[in-house]
Amino acid sequence: MNQDALRRGFAGPVHLPGDPGYDTHRQPLYPTIDPRPAAVVEARGPADVRAAVVAARRHDLPLAVQATGHGTHVAADRALLLKTSHLASVLVDPDRQVARVGPGARWGAVLSAAASFGLAPLSGSSPSVGVTGYTLGGGLGWLARRYGFAADSVVRADVVTADGRLRTVSADRDPELFWALRGGGGNFGVVTSLEFRLYPVDRVLAGFAYFPADRAAETLAWYRDWAATTPDELSTAALLRRMPDADDVPAAVRGRRVLMIKAMYAGDPDRGRCLLAPLWSVAGPALVDDVRPVRYADAAMGGTPARYLDMFRTLPDAALEALADAHAAPDSPISTVEIRQWGGAIADPGPDAGPAGHRDARFSVIVDAVLPELATALRPHGMDATFLNFLADPTRTAAAYTAQNHRRLREVKAAYDPRNLFRSGHNIRPFATAKSTAS
């Protein structure tokens, strides 16, 4: 690789091994990996993105893309690492109720811009997460039961494909590529701008409530049945948590094992309280209740590290008892078990939806520690499925999709990236027999 030619090819900085800035810019968000890319390029515009794709292809290097690094779980060793953090523009069109963002934009900036017009994006739990990576991975937010995955709301994308072309894709232009982008992750190109719908949500009823966990399995069983009766405007999760014994934790739950309910209702707060009242009655009395009306942009719902994740069409009592017993064991490594409600618009996205997720799942279960005996107990009841945004294991990428969608994704990959240039991360391998339509 001609290093001088590489530097001349970009408007943004290029950091090569041995350069003063190389070690700083190669670092990922998570310290569990220690990448050694062949070069790190900081993009200053779409031309740099295109130059990176062309250079990676010319030198037969994998191309890894990083904005915030939240979705980086595979070291970009011997790759061309393209950083898009500086391309963070956010434009909101309140009349069309859409936002158009650069590939480095974070949800916090979109939330702030949209809130000025009483609008909301289908953002996730953290404002620091990058919009594009989250959305291309599907995007499960707290408005998903009402409006679907974030990927379902994409209306247009500008993307540089493996052949170096900058394409504008939509339902009418490159429809197969548009389908694949909406859940297929970074396998099909580098997005240089993303346009998606916003929704008329200003204020919500949202927050956490904590209850005693002495009847955890019974309460979770009641929650499972109750969740099936709730309207799409209400999203909930039931968690078993070991609360830290720390000063910033409310005294009533400090150092305790509790049942925690997360809830968000996109509607009248009084109506939301009425919907939650039966659950409060069964789980209660509440030790702490911090569910209150807030601006959607200010609702901080948090997340649980997914050391174990599976999807469930139903949660039989045996599965709930296994979760409760594993969490309650005195020597348990588990701090948090999260059972999250799916359904609603997730399950009914319309005929042109992308490949994101397993839409027939009714619940997801996340555990923040690896416990092989618990995984064995849950296996007969689960779908052996995952969700791309929550997945850290690149060997399980196919499990994020239905078999039909994964096959179609491989066909689209073969058409637009037959040489598998975009293979860093959760790779979808192209079918070798498909013919390229990218030229």
Side-chain angles (χ1 to χ4, degrees):
M1 182 169 59
N2 187 316
Q3 296 185 357
D4 291 337
L6 184 66
R7 293 185 193 276
R8 289 195 301 270
F10 296 94
V14 176
H15 309 283
L16 300 171
D19 288 352
Y22 175 78
D23 283 333
T24 298
H25 290 284
R26 70 178 179 84
Q27 293 296 332
L29 181 69
Y30 305 109
T32 52
I33 56 177
D34 184 30
R36 301 284 173 173
V40 183
V41 176
E42 297 183 76
R44 290 295 188 264
D48 277 349
V49 173
R50 183 179 180 278
V53 171
V54 171
R57 182 166 179 164
R58 179 182 301 127
H59 298 290
D60 196 26
L61 299 172
L63 182 67
V65 183
Q66 182 176 308
T68 67
H70 283 84
T72 302
H73 301 288
V74 178
D77 294 332
R78 297 176 297 279
L80 181 60
L81 176 58
L82 175 65
K83 303 190 75 170
T84 60
S85 309
H86 295 287
L87 307 180
S89 61
V90 174
L91 297 173
V92 170
D93 184 336
D95 295 327
R96 294 176 57 222
Q97 295 190 356
V98 298
R100 185 177 178 85
V101 306
R106 297 173 185 252
W107 278 120
V110 181
L111 286 163
S112 178
S116 301
F117 304 102
L119 299 172
L122 301 186
S123 54
S125 298
S126 172
S128 66
V129 168
V131 175
T132 299
Y134 169 91
T135 303
L136 298 185
L140 175 69
W142 282 87
L143 295 176
R145 281 178 36 83
R146 178 68 179 89
Y147 297 111
F149 292 133
D152 297 335
S153 285
V154 173
V155 295
R156 187 170 64 180
D158 293 332
V159 56
V160 178
T161 46
D163 57 1
R165 289 178 57 184
L166 177 61
R167 303 166 183 263
T168 298
V169 301
S170 65
D172 300 321
R173 301 177 65 178
D174 286 305
E176 281 295 287
L177 179 58
F178 181 64
W179 174 84
L181 287 174
R182 292 174 295 146
N187 277 279
F188 303 94
V190 185
V191 169
T192 61
S193 72
L194 196 66
E195 187 173 303
F196 49 87
R197 298 183 198 91
L198 303 171
Y199 296 91
V201 177
D202 184 16
R203 297 183 67 81
V204 293
L205 180 75
F208 313 144
Y210 302 85
F211 302 89
D214 49 351
R215 296 178 58 251
E218 295 90 335
T219 306
L220 291 177
W222 197 93
Y223 166 78
R224 170 201 61 204
D225 298 337
W226 168 85
T229 70
T230 59
D232 297 352
E233 291 82 1
L234 179 62
S235 292
T236 61
L239 295 82
L240 299 176
R241 289 200 64 189
R242 295 182 183 274
M243 301 301 294
D245 188 4
D247 292 342
D248 59 347
V249 175
V253 297
R254 191 176 299 161
R256 292 187 59 169
R257 178 174 173 266
V258 299
L259 173 72
M260 175 183 177
I261 301 295
K262 294 183 179 182
M264 179 181 288
Y265 180 69
D268 177 73
D270 292 337
R271 171 62 175 157
R273 274 293 181 185
C274 288
L275 290 167
L276 292 170
L279 178 58
W280 262 232
S281 178
V282 170
L287 302 169
V288 175
D289 187 344
D290 195 31
V291 178
R292 64 190 190 277
V294 294
R295 289 198 320 158
Y296 174 76
D298 297 330
M301 302 303 290
T304 302
R307 305 291 181 257
Y308 164 90
L309 167 67
D310 202 352
M311 320 298 292
F312 293 78
R313 295 184 181 92
T314 184
L315 275 170
D317 290 350
L320 298 176
E321 290 166 3
L323 289 166
D325 290 347
H327 189 264
D331 58 347
S332 176
I334 299 171
S335 172
T336 304
V337 171
E338 177 177 325
I339 299 173
R340 184 161 177 176
Q341 177 187 18
W342 285 49
I346 296 171
D348 187 22
D352 300 322
H358 292 267
R359 295 179 183 272
D360 59 341
R362 306 306 297 178
F363 297 95
S364 60
V365 174
I366 290 176
V367 182
D368 70 349
V370 177
L371 198 62
E373 54 268 38
L374 176 60
T376 298
L378 295 175
R379 188 171 296 120
H381 312 295
M383 297 169 59
D384 191 25
T386 186
F387 190 67
L388 201 67
N389 290 143
F390 299 153
L391 182 61
D393 182 358
T395 68
R396 296 196 66 218
T397 300
Y401 306 100
T402 66
Q404 180 181 358
N405 281 345
H406 188 251
R407 179 178 181 85
R408 185 176 171 187
L409 284 166
R410 292 189 66 190
E411 292 170 348
V412 179
K413 178 80 169 186
Y416 286 92
D417 184 15
R419 292 168 55 184
N420 206 14
L421 176 70
F422 304 112
R423 59 186 182 272
S424 294
H426 293 300
N427 186 220
I428 296 171
R429 298 181 181 277
F431 279 126
T433 55
K435 295 181 180 180
S436 173
T437 62
S439 58

